Amino acid sequence: MQRRTIKDAAVVIGTIGTVLAIWYLGWRWIDNNVGSPASSDLVLEHAKGLFGDKFGAVNALFSGLAFAGIILTLLLQRRELSLQREELSNQGKEASKRRFEDTFFNLVKLQNEITGQLDTASGHGRDAHKTFYLSIVESDPYFSTFRALQSLDRREAIAIKTPGVTRDAALSKLDVAGQSTISDALAKIPDAFDQFVDENQAMHDQKVKAACDKAWLKHMDSLSPYFNNFHLILKYIDEAKGVNEEEKRGYADILRAQLSGVELASLFYRALATDGSFAKEDSTTRRSLRALLVHYGILRDLPPTYVIHSAHKKLFESKDGATK
């Protein structure tokens, strides 16, 4: 605004200066070139008339000033129109942002209502996510063991298969439930320890997809509205016009603040499984959900205890460039 005012003033001053310069130079030319001593009587008589006419240049001065006034008026009108357009644009942006916020908070409200209405055979409301998560764990015979072993390092996980001091030291790090799980695994599925330390990503990918698919088929009807609406909110934030990136992240944080730890785990495994998991759903949609979860940091507060195996987090971060 200040630059525009300075520019307008410079144009006006320049126009007036040009008019005055032309008027002054015309006056001087008449004085210096008309009626010189070398002129004849006829020329001198004529020069007297011209000399008087030079005062008519005053008319040219005022005409020029009037012209400058017209230019000034046009500039002021242009600036006024520009201010009006800017004001209308700001009003339009504010109205658009109000509409965005109204829709966003209505979607968040709907999300909370959907969450409250979730109902599975063994869980209601947010507990339905716990049911879904435990169903994933139970869908693979090794996942319970994996969870129990998460607090141990690779060396301890391998050594726990062999009776002795090392096993006892490793078991002492586990709670009662973990020790019971390990004891059952040693008796029934001793190869679970080998799979736990196996870093083959393809094997872990296959196992988690199979488990998630099996769990989802049990709970798809009750949980689909939750995931669909959550994905819709993230896409609505991401595609919003007139909302900058910092503001988008702020709205995403509001959405994230509504989530419990087990909901984050449910979203994590919901977005992780692809290519055959979550029957009847489009893999492109799932990739989009995962990318949005990563982009807006929705899962940054995911409790580590809900990650069944560290390989699952690596898989999540490597899928389709989701960490970009």
Side-chain angles (χ1 to χ4, degrees), residues 39 84 113 127 133 312:
S39 302
Q84 290 177 356
E113 291 175 355
D127 287 340
Y133 173 77
H312 297 173

Side-chain angles (χ1 to χ4, degrees), residues 178-220:
Q179 292 178 10
S180 175
T181 299
I182 295 301
S183 296
D184 289 342
L186 287 169
K188 300 176 182 178
I189 48 173
D191 62 326
F193 302 92
D194 297 320
Q195 288 202 13
F196 177 78
V197 298
D198 192 338
E199 297 181 355
N200 187 320
Q201 291 285 80
M203 180 271 291
H204 288 291
D205 190 23
Q206 184 178 9
K207 288 177 70 65
V208 75
K209 284 192 297 185
C212 288
D213 186 45
K214 187 176 179 180
W216 180 250
L217 290 175
K218 291 181 182 178
H219 305 290
M220 180 172 57

